[in-house]
Amino acid sequence: SYSGHATGAAAALANIDILEREDLVGNSERMGKYMLHRLTALKEKSIVGDVRGLGLMCALDLVKDKSTKEPLTSIPGVAAKLSKRMLENGLWARVTQFLFVTPTLTVNRTEVDEIVDIVADGINYIEKELGY
């Protein structure tokens, strides 16, 4: 806390202890690299312009046309459709002209695989809807 209150400081120290004890920073690095590797395979899709990430913060550029890089969101309602499809499959992800994938620090390999599979399904669904 900004005031250095003992209760806030104790909570912060407990949080730091958990981060270190459970190696959550290391897990973020390992699972982030794996997730980015899996997501990068989606660059072959016609609506994915680029994929990038650092740790467990990844984003896919969603494009209407790869050559012009025009955002997919220039098509009204497409972000909402993609978001709804992924939510129906169990994944809440922020969708704008980017699809943000930011799981918790405790994510494991099986969960990363499930996340990427849901993202891939959503992208396939949108491509089919658009006739790509």
Side-chain angles (χ1 to χ4, degrees), residues 65-78:
D65 183 307
K66 281 192 180 206
S67 61
T68 66
K69 302 283 187 186
E70 180 182 356
L72 188 64
T73 52
S74 66
I75 302 170
V78 73

Side-chain angles (χ1 to χ4, degrees), residues 3-51:
S3 65
H5 193 280
T7 303
L13 289 172
N15 192 36
I16 290 169
D17 183 51
I18 292 167
L19 287 167
E20 291 174 346
R21 184 178 62 243
E22 296 184 16
D23 188 30
L24 296 180
V25 174
N27 189 62
S28 174
E29 180 182 3
R30 289 184 300 278
M31 292 300 101
K33 284 180 182 176
Y34 177 65
M35 185 169 66
L36 184 59
H37 171 75
R38 290 277 328 271
L39 289 170
T40 299
L42 298 175
K43 280 178 76 170
E44 70 183 33
K45 306 306 284 176
S46 59
I47 65 169
V48 178
D50 195 15
V51 177

Side-chain angles (χ1 to χ4, degrees), residues 95-109:
V95 180
T96 62
Q97 74 182 57
F98 309 102
L99 192 165
F100 296 96
V101 184
T102 56
T104 65
L105 295 176
T106 58
V107 72
N108 62 43
R109 194 175 179 99

